[in-house]
Amino acid sequence: MPEHLEPSDPPHERDALSLLSRSPHPYHRQNFELLHPSDSFTSKPFPLPFPSASREPTTSSDSGTEADDEHFLKGLPAPRRLHKGLRGRNEVLSGTSTPIPSPALLEEEGRKLSFTSKTEAPLGKELRSPADRLRRRKEAIRRLSELLIISFLGALVYTNPRVQPVLHSWNREFFAGAGVLVILALLYPLRLIAWAYCHRATPRKIPISIPTSFDPAPLLYPPAITLFVSSLIAVEDDAVLLPNIILAICSLPSALIPTVSIVGQGCNPLHWALSCTPLVFGRAGRLLDSGETPTSPVAVSLETATLLYPLHQNLCMVLHALTTTSLLNAELQLLSISLINILLLSSSPQAVILKSMLWIGGLDILVTCSQPITSGISLARVPKWRFKRTVGLSKRSSTLLSAVMPWRRVRHDLFHASLDSSSCSSCEAFDDPEDSDGPASPAPTAPLRVKTAPFDGADSTGIEQRRASITDPGRDVPSNATDAKVGSTPLRRYTLPSTGKPACRSHTHTPSGRRKRSASTSVRAFFSLTQQQAAVRKWIYAVYVYVCIAGAIFLPLPWVGIKKFVMDGALHGHEPVGWALGYLLGDLPWFRWEVVSHNLERWICLPPRSTREPDEFRRTGWVDGLRQAYFGEANTRLLWCAYCVAVIVVGLMVVFRLSPMYEVDTRRKVFHFMMVAMFLPTTYIDPTFAALALSVVLALFLLLDLLRASQLPPLSKPLASFLAPYVDGRDLRGPVVISHIFLLIGCAIPLWLSLGSLPRTGAGYLEGWEVPTREVSMITGVVCVGLGDAAASLIGRRYGHRKWLWGGGKSLEGSVAFATAVFAGLIAAHLWLRIGGWPVTNKGLDPWSATVQKTTVCAATASLTEAVLTGGNDNVIVPVVLWTCVKSLGI
C-alpha cells in the first residue's frame, strides 16, 4: 500500500494522547508522534528522486517565524509546543505538509481501528465528529484561498502589457507546459479512484478523502512561481522562458507521475519525457522537423534543455543530503530551480559573481572537504570519557596510604558502591563490550554482587563472587562465611547467600535495564584515540578545510578558482583585487596619486574624472548628479559601506541591551529593522553595488554556517554561541541555521530579479555595472521582510485576539499590521523614487490615486499569502509574491 494512503490516527486523537503523557523527556516521541515523509509527496510505487526525510511540521507564529526555543540544541528536533499566540489544543498545526488526497476507504478503516472506536461500525457509516468536519471545512477554505491567490497572480502576469507579446511569441511552449501541469493534476484523483476500486469495493461513489493536514504547496508554488517570474524577466530577454517552462514540469511531485518501472530511486523516464513536451510541440520542434537553424536567441541549447530533468533531480539529491530536514520539499525544489537558472542564464557581472561563489566555490568545497568535515563531525560526537585514557607515572606508583586504604574499598564500605570501576550506567551508553583503556587490557571481570534479604530476621551472610567463577569456571565458589579464606573480602551482615548460577553481564542492556545505544562505525573508529590525539586530529581537519577554502578562492585555474572565473566572466580580464580597490577607493586623491606614482594603472582600475555638465544630470535625477559630480561614484560606495557598518554596530548594541529582558522574537526583529535601515534608502542610489554586497554576504553566511556545522576549531564554538540566543524552531530541525540566511535571501531576491529584467549600461571596466532606470520592485523584499514580517509579529503576538477562519497561529490583527506596514513601505519607496528624480522603467509615473490603489492590492495580496502559507518559509515566498504583484501592476 502506498505510504501516503496508509491510515493514521486523526490529529485530535493524537493531541488527546499527548495530554496523557507524563514523560519527563521533552524530545521523546511516541510511535504515532514520529515524523512522516508526507511533505515530499512520496509513495512506494512512486519513488522519490532523493531520500525522503522525516521532519516534524513547522509550526507558525504571527510572523511565520518561530521563536519558541531559547537554546541551541544541535541535532535535536524541537519539542512541540501548543502555547504560541492563538494556537489551541485541537487545532492542526499550520506547518503541516501532508500527502495529497487519498482513498476514503483507508481513512475509514484507520478510524475504525483507532483507540477511540469502542464499538464496531459499518464500513459505509461516517465516523467523523462534528469538530472534525468543521476542521475540514476550514482547511478547505484555506487551501481554496491559496489556490485563488495563485490564480490571481497568474491573471496579473498575463494581463501585463509588456508580458503579453512574450507569451504570444512562446505560446506553444507555454501552453504545452501548462497543459502538462493541469492534466497531471486532474488525472491524479482519477488514478486514486481506479486504485480504490481495483483493490477493494468501496461503499462510496467517489472514494476520495482529503486529510485535514493537506498542503498543496509542493504542487502549487514551485511550478507557479517559476512560470510567473520567468515571464516577467523575459520582457528583457525572452530566451529565459523555455528552460523555466521545462523546470516547472520537472518540479512536479513524483506522486503525480505514473511510474513505468520500479528499479530503485532515480529519474522517472515518463517524467523525463513529459519535461521535453515543450521542446516537441514548441518552436524548437518545428525547427527540428524542417531542418532550419533557430534564428531567435536561445539561452540554452536543445541538448542542454533535454537534460534539465536529470540535472534538477540530481541537484535535489545533493541539496537534500546537505540540508536534510532544514528545508521543506517546496523550498528544496525552488532552491534547485534557482541554482540551475544561475548556472545556465547568468549574463550580468553580478550574476556571474554569484554563480562563481555558489557553483565554483560550492563544488570545490563539496568535493575536497566533504570527507574531512564528516570525520570532524563524527569526532565531535564522541564523548570525552570514551577516549582512551593515558596511563601516567602517577598512576603506576602507589602510595602507602593507598595501599593500606584503597579509595575503591572506602567508597564500597561507605556508600555501598560496586568494586568494579566500570559499573557506571552512564559509561555503558554505547554497546562496546571490548572497550578498554589500553591495547592489551585483561578480560573484563564482574563485580562482587551481594544479595540482601527482603525480610527481617536473616542472620546468615553470603557473597556471590562472580569474579572467581568467571576467571576459573571449574573452581568451587564458597557460598557462606565458613568457606571463605583468610584475607578475602570482608563480609556484610544481614545478607543471604545467593543460590544458583550468577547472571552474566549483558552487552545490550545496562544494569538498570535500559537498552544501550549502539555506537555507529564512524564514531567507534575514534575510540582508540586519547583526548590529546583527538584534539590534534580536529586541528588537522580544520587546517585542511581552511586550506581548501583558500584554494577554491585564489587558485588560478579555469572552472576551479573563483578568482579566475570572476576575472574572465565578470570583469573582462581585470584582476579582481585590483578592480575592487579601484571600485571602492578610486576617487580618493591620495589613492589615485599612489597608483599613478607607482605605475599600477594596469592592475588597479581608476574611474575617469566626470566631464559631464550639471545640466546633463537633470535627466538622471539630482541624487545621481550628486553621486557622480560631487562625491564621486567610488566615494559614494565608501560612504554607503560606512553607513551600513554604523547601522550594524547600533543594531548589535540594541540587541545586546535587549537580550536579558525581552523574548527571542523581539530581539530577532531588530535584525529585520537593520535590513530596512541599510537598504531602503540606499538601493536606488547604486542598485548594482547593493546586489553585489548581498551576494558576497550570502556566500559569507553560507561559508560560516558550514564551519559552524562542521564543529571544527577555532570558529565553530564562537559562531554557535553567537547564534544560540536568536535561533528558532526551524533552525533546530536540521544542520543548517536558516533564519539569517532566509532573511538575507528574502531581501535580495527581488533586487536580483529586478536587475535581471533591466538593461545594462556602463563603459570601460564598469561595463554592465549601471542600470538606466529604477523601479519600486527593487525594494519589495526589504519592505516585506523588514517591515511587514516584523510588524505582523510584534502586533500579532501582543494584540492578536481574532483568528483567521482556518485557525493556526496567524491573527487578523497581525495580518492587518503586515498589510499596513507593506503599504507604508511601498508608498515611501515610491515617494523616494519621485523625490530623487531617477528615471523609471514605465513610461511616466501613475497619478497618486492609481498608485494608492495598486499598492493596496499588492499589500493585501502579500498579507493574505502570509496568512495562508504553510508549505514554505514566508521570508522567501512572500517577497517573491509581492515582487510579482508590484512588477505586474507596474508600480
Side-chain angles (χ1 to χ4, degrees), residues 412 447-452 462-464 492 494-496 498:
H412 170 73
L448 299 177
R449 303 178 64 91
V450 178
K451 208 169 188 178
T452 57
I463 297 179
E464 179 187 352
R492 294 177 57 191
Y494 308 110
T495 58
L496 287 177
S498 61

Side-chain angles (χ1 to χ4, degrees), residues 140 182 196 208 466 494 537 567 593 659 673 682 699 752 792 795 824:
V182 174
I208 296 180
R466 294 177 54 202
Y494 308 110
R537 184 76 64 89
M567 182 175 65
W593 169 255
S659 294
F673 291 125
T682 59
W752 293 339
I795 299 300

Side-chain angles (χ1 to χ4, degrees), residues 365 549 553 698-708 719:
I365 295 175
I549 292 174
I553 297 175
L698 174 62
L700 183 63
F701 278 5
L702 294 175
L703 181 60
L704 291 179
D705 199 70
L706 174 65
L707 297 178
R708 179 204 58 79
L719 290 174

Side-chain angles (χ1 to χ4, degrees), residues 610 612-622 624-625 628-629:
S610 178
R612 299 171 61 185
E613 297 295 332
D615 294 338
E616 299 180 14
F617 294 110
R618 294 179 181 177
R619 293 176 297 178
T620 59
W622 64 273
D624 196 66
Q628 297 188 21

